[in-house]
Amino acid sequence: MSVARRTGAITPRDISAAKGSTPLVCLTAYTTPVARLVDPDCDVVLVGDSVGMVLHGLSSTLGVTLEMMIMHGKAVRRGLERALMVVDMPFGSYEEGPEQAMRNAARLMAETECAAVKIEGGETMAETIRFLSERGVPVMAHVGLTPQAVNALGGYRVQGKGLEAERIRRDALAVAEAGAFSVVLEKVPETLARRITEDVAIPTIGIGASPACDGQILVVDDMLGMFTDFRPKFVKRYAELAKQAETAVKSYAQEVRERRFPAPEHVFGE
Ligand code: KIV
């Protein structure tokens, strides 16, 4: 049975158990209304640190703070009934070591009531992932393109081509062995995604990583077409909401200027 057909809140264990079955459906959300919208169809809702770029206009995720993640996490919590809620640990909140990560993960879980956190990084984060997992913090790992390392990686390019593939594979194996309950593979070639998915015991969740993965995740604003100027190859647009909104705003402006809005049906009588 797919995770999506079960009733009640989905747990990290349900996600682990879904390895190799019906693909896992995952989206981001940052607000209560969007969380309500995606909850019935998603297995996992991620409060991603992409919130910094998507909603706050930052040029990368590096300026996102723990307080921002807590605020958006609380908002998403109010909109979810069944999907598993995962909150991203922002840059600078976990890299110093297991104790710092534990302190901040505990704060995220206590204040947002999320059931799991996500951490970027492979082999170097394995010790931290093990520390958290053994202390009641389910961890979704994230390897391949890790946006918080954009400066070190030299941009948002595909990771794991040629000789790099083995490093990414080792990263995925290390986080799985350390106890992560699932792992996001971002922007890696299909052959590598397939190999990792076959080699690790936990579900792989792809973004720009082919259908070979055990599940897929997208930034909800990207797949809804909320941006007219951002069209990465790995995003399929299921709607063109930015275009629709632009047309709606133009119509409103014109009708106000021509005194056609408000019309009689929008006006209160005595
Ligand atoms: O921050 C984010 O939204 C993410 C994913 C889309 C995987 O990390």
Side-chain angles (χ1 to χ4, degrees):
M1 184 191 288
S2 99
V3 178
R5 296 229 175 76
R6 297 184 44 163
T7 52
I10 293 170
T11 67
R13 289 174 82 105
D14 295 328
I15 299 300
S16 304
K19 170 87 186 168
S21 60
T22 309
L24 291 159
V25 179
C26 317
L27 281 173
T28 65
Y30 318 114
T31 63
T32 308
V34 173
R36 281 201 185 112
L37 192 82
V38 302
D39 185 47
D41 294 299
C42 283
D43 301 312
V44 174
V45 171
L46 171 71
V47 187
D49 62 351
S50 50
V51 67
M53 299 170 82
V54 174
L55 291 195
H56 294 267
L58 299 178
S59 60
S60 75
T61 56
L62 300 184
V64 175
T65 63
L66 200 64
E67 284 65 33
M68 286 163 81
M69 297 312 300
I70 289 171
M71 185 183 71
H72 289 284
K74 282 179 172 171
V76 168
R77 179 73 276 159
R78 291 179 207 118
L80 296 184
E81 281 180 14
R82 60 174 302 285
L84 171 69
M85 172 170 150
V86 180
V87 178
D88 250 339
M89 296 201 69
F91 182 62
S93 72
Y94 61 94
E95 298 89 335
E96 284 171 28
E99 282 82 6
Q100 184 211 23
M102 184 67 212
R103 203 165 43 250
N104 287 325
R107 212 182 137 200
L108 277 178
M109 291 179 84
E111 296 192 35
T112 71
E113 295 176 44
C114 66
V117 299
K118 179 162 78 59
I119 284 182
E120 293 186 10
E123 282 185 310
T124 52
M125 280 302 139
E127 187 194 347
T128 295
I129 291 172
R130 185 181 309 284
F131 190 92
L132 296 187
S133 305
E134 287 174 351
R135 286 162 180 76
V137 181
V139 178
M140 175 181 277
H142 184 156
V143 305
L145 173 65
T146 47
Q148 292 174 11
V150 60
N151 293 310
L153 296 174
Y156 295 100
R157 63 183 178 81
V158 174
Q159 300 292 305
K161 285 189 169 176
L163 293 178
E164 262 185 7
E166 195 40 40
R167 178 178 56 80
I168 309 276
R169 187 175 156 273
R170 278 203 313 271
D171 280 342
L173 288 169
V175 297
E177 205 271 321
F181 73 90
S182 59
V183 57
V184 169
L185 298 185
E186 180 160 353
K187 266 191 152 179
V188 299
E190 180 166 14
T191 44
L192 177 58
R194 177 163 295 110
R195 179 131 184 256
I196 291 174
T197 301
E198 284 167 5
D199 288 355
V200 297
I202 55 174
T204 57
I205 299 172
I207 174 162
S210 88
C213 298
D214 295 301
Q216 298 294 325
I217 186 162
L218 283 176
V219 168
V220 70
D221 297 65
D222 291 345
M223 56 85 77
L224 292 177
M226 289 295 283
F227 303 104
T228 47
D229 55 349
F230 183 64
R231 289 184 171 274
K233 178 181 167 70
F234 59 88
V235 174
K236 176 173 176 182
R237 287 180 182 237
Y238 288 83
E240 291 291 347
L241 296 193
K243 276 193 195 137
Q244 260 186 282
E246 230 172 62
T247 309
V249 171
K250 278 192 200 320
S251 303
Y252 168 73
Q254 190 175 351
E255 290 189 10
V256 169
R257 289 189 179 111
E258 293 171 356
R259 294 194 190 282
R260 287 194 289 126
F261 177 81
E265 66 268 29
H266 307 119
V267 175
F268 296 104
E270 285 302 309

